[in-house]
């Protein structure tokens, strides 16, 4: 499918999805959100894709937020519907069986930070600035940010970021555990591709089940989470990939996984 606002490049099992509207700093309007939903759905079904990198076009921004010009005239009902549309994209990323890495190359604000937080982990460039400026617009984060940020870094730091609306730089985002690593701007994509290639090279069934256990386990009590993990762990012993992975270890050769 052709997209007006997205670029998708796939090589060696890794798809790079770039939000490509740099004139508005890749702001998320309804059209971009709709395209993201379709593109991510297709990438999840595409057997040639083992991992996805999500980034923004241009040197300035990953995504500078939901589109303020579109939201400015919304009614309460339209605002609610727009929030649900954004949340659907975030939930889709979490439900995808393939890992999604956010490569945050500049501003990740509001809905942009929410998009990055929905990904499985975040790499950032030294140019990244992240924050939730919604309160400066008279609103609050609406694409899952209150939930995901507080779960990731704890309520106190999340409260500070969301209540003040202030941005933090890449160094502080790293110290606070929002991003996993920080790279020079011209290294960021290569480093994200390195991580994605490492994921694409291992048993993708194991990766998919681990993603499921982590994401769903976080919404359960610990005992239920352990029980859920044990059932997924058990199911993997019914796969060819488990037989192949362990045989390859014993025979001191590289495993050839078939995702069966
Ligand atoms: N929505 C719509 N347009 C946006 C935008 C956004 N979130 N962010 C930037 N733009 C547009 C600007 O309006 C400008 O367009 P024009 O040239 O037509 O005026 C263009 O992108 C370039 O932006 P600036 O000239 O402002 O660039 P700058 O370098 O001076 O500033 C910035 C960069 C600090 C990121 C600034 O653009 C900014 O503050 N943007 C808004 C950030 C924000 O508040 N995001 C949260 C949105 S609310 C939200 O996301 C709700 C939610 O949780 C779902």
């Amino acid at each position: 499918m052709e997209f007006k606002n997205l670029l998708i490049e796939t090589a060696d099992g890794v798809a790079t999805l770039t939000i490509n509207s740099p004139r508005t700093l890749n702001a998320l309007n309804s059209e971009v959100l709709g395209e993201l939903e379709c593109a991510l759905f297709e990438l999840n079904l595409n057997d040639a894709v083992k991992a996805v990198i999500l980034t923004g076009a241009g040197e300035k921004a990953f995504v500078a937020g939901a589109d303020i010009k579109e939201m400015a005239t919304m009614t309460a009902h339209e605002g609610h519907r727009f929030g649900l549309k954004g949340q659907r994209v975030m939930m889709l990323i979490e439900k995808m069986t393939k890992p999604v890495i956010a490569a945050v190359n500049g501003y990740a604000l509001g809905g942009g930070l929410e998009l990055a937080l929905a990904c499985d982990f975040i790499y950032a460039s030294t140019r990244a600035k992240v924050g939730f400026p919604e309160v400066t617009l008279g609103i609050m984060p609406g694409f899952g940010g209150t939930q995901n940020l507080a779960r990731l870094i704890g309520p106190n730091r999340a409260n500070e970021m969301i209540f003040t609306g202030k941005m933090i730089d890449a160094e502080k985002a790293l110290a606070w555990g929002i991003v996993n690593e920080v790279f020079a701007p011209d290294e960021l994509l290569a480093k994200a591709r390195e991580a994605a290639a490492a994921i694409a090279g291992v048993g993708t069934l194991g990766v998919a089940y681990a993603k499921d256990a982590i994401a769903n386990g976080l919404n359960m009590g610990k005992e239920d989470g352990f029980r859920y993990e044990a059932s997924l762990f058990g199911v993997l012993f019914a796969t060819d990939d488990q037989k192949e992975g362990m045989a390859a270890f014993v025979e001191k050769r590289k495993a050839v996984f078939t995702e069966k």
Side-chain angles (χ1 to χ4, degrees):
M1 189 167 160
E2 286 288 303
F3 297 105
K4 260 169 70 184
N5 305 282
L6 307 177
L7 301 171
I8 301 175
E9 242 184 277
T10 304
D12 304 324
V14 177
T16 304
L17 194 171
T18 305
I19 300 174
N20 186 31
S21 41
R23 214 179 40 77
T24 58
L25 306 187
N26 306 315
L28 301 175
N29 60 26
S30 300
E31 184 177 79
V32 177
L33 287 170
E35 289 194 357
L36 271 175
E37 198 175 352
C38 287
L40 291 163
F41 191 79
E42 282 182 8
L43 289 172
N44 200 39
L45 291 178
N46 183 343
D47 287 339
V49 173
K50 315 289 182 205
V52 178
I53 295 166
L54 192 51
T55 193
E59 303 207 324
K60 248 170 123 172
F62 171 72
V63 169
D67 190 325
I68 300 168
K69 289 170 191 162
E70 184 179 349
M71 288 185 295
T73 56
M74 282 181 186
T75 61
H77 170 63
E78 288 163 344
H80 182 235
R81 210 167 46 186
F82 186 65
L84 291 176
K85 188 176 177 93
Q87 286 183 351
R88 237 182 10 247
V89 174
M90 311 305 150
M91 292 298 281
L92 176 57
I93 295 173
E94 290 180 26
K95 300 274 174 225
M96 282 172 70
T97 54
K98 303 159 191 194
V100 183
I101 303 170
V104 172
N105 49 312
Y107 291 111
L109 302 174
L113 179 54
E114 290 170 309
L115 185 63
L117 290 170
C119 294
D120 294 291
F121 58 90
I122 305 174
Y123 280 178
S125 96
T126 47
R127 247 190 235 139
K129 285 207 163 30
V130 309
F132 279 118
E134 281 89 341
V135 291
T136 69
L137 299 164
I139 57 168
M140 60 178 276
F143 292 171
T146 58
Q147 305 306 302
N148 283 338
L149 188 67
R151 279 174 169 81
L152 183 66
I153 65 174
N156 291 22
R157 284 175 169 165
N159 292 344
E160 185 181 337
M161 280 184 71
I162 292 171
F163 300 166
T164 64
K166 290 213 166 92
M167 296 181 212
I168 62 173
D169 62 15
E171 200 186 324
K172 192 160 183 180
L174 179 67
W176 279 15
I178 297 174
V179 309
N180 280 17
E181 293 212 52
V182 177
F183 301 102
D186 59 353
E187 283 187 344
L188 175 66
L189 261 189
K191 292 292 185 186
R193 287 198 174 114
E194 232 174 73
I199 293 166
V202 297
T204 46
L205 291 179
V207 172
Y209 278 48
K211 175 168 172 167
D212 183 346
I214 294 166
N216 285 303
L218 279 171
N219 295 325
M220 296 175 188
K222 192 161 161 177
E223 268 192 43
D224 287 338
F226 267 50
R227 207 171 295 120
Y228 189 57
E229 181 191 74
S231 14
L232 294 180
F233 182 71
V235 168
L236 284 168
F237 284 79
T239 66
D240 292 350
D241 279 5
Q242 176 267 334
K243 310 272 174 297
E244 165 63 9
M246 294 192 179
F249 176 83
V250 174
E251 292 158 19
K252 299 190 189 300
R253 60 173 174 83
K254 193 171 170 355
V256 181
F257 293 112
T258 54
E259 293 175 49
K260 289 191 178 121

